[in-house]
Amino acid sequence: MRGVTINKGEPVDRALKRLKSLLDNEGILEEMRRRRAFETPVLRAKRKCRTASKRNRQRFRYTSPTQDAAAAAAKAARIAAEA
């Protein structure tokens, strides 16, 4: 079970907000909402497709310098092979 510790002098509202953001980041709230009702196989496939596209968009958003160098080298090799 997840939880947050309330610091001395911290308002309960702020601790509650931290808890909600923690649960949201871990996907616990979304999973809880999803498990409330039966999900048909068609809806499940649609949801998985949506989350996969989000995940891929997030993954390709940030690239490291080594990934950039590898992509540039692959592009150069592809151009050289075509010529």
Side-chain angles (χ1 to χ4, degrees), residues 6-21:
I6 299 177
N7 300 324
K8 188 173 183 178
E10 180 183 21
V12 176
D13 295 340
R14 186 168 293 157
L16 198 66
K17 184 173 181 168
R18 279 193 301 134
L19 176 65
K20 283 183 181 180
S21 65

Side-chain angles (χ1 to χ4, degrees), residues 56-65 67-68:
N56 287 336
R57 209 175 323 134
Q58 185 75 20
R59 190 173 75 194
F60 293 120
R61 188 174 196 174
Y62 304 106
T63 58
S64 68
Q67 287 175 324
D68 291 338

Side-chain angles (χ1 to χ4, degrees), residues 71-83:
K75 186 176 180 182
R78 200 170 43 240
I79 292 171
E82 289 176 0

Side-chain angles (χ1 to χ4, degrees), residues 9-77:
E10 180 183 21
V12 176
D13 295 340
R14 186 168 293 157
L16 198 66
K17 184 173 181 168
R18 279 193 301 134
L19 176 65
K20 283 183 181 180
S21 65
L22 177 75
L23 295 177
D24 193 35
N25 287 340
E26 292 182 3
I28 293 174
L29 289 177
E30 184 179 337
E31 185 175 349
M32 203 172 70
R33 284 188 208 105
R34 186 174 56 80
R35 289 179 183 238
R36 266 189 204 157
F38 178 73
E39 185 177 33
T40 64
V42 171
L43 290 175
R44 182 172 187 247
K46 284 182 182 178
R47 177 181 52 83
K48 285 190 170 276
C49 184
R50 262 196 326 264
T51 56
S53 67
K54 265 188 211 176
R55 201 172 38 250
N56 287 336
R57 209 175 323 134
Q58 185 75 20
R59 190 173 75 194
F60 293 120
R61 188 174 196 174
Y62 304 106
T63 58
S64 68
T66 56
Q67 287 175 324
D68 291 338
K75 186 176 180 182

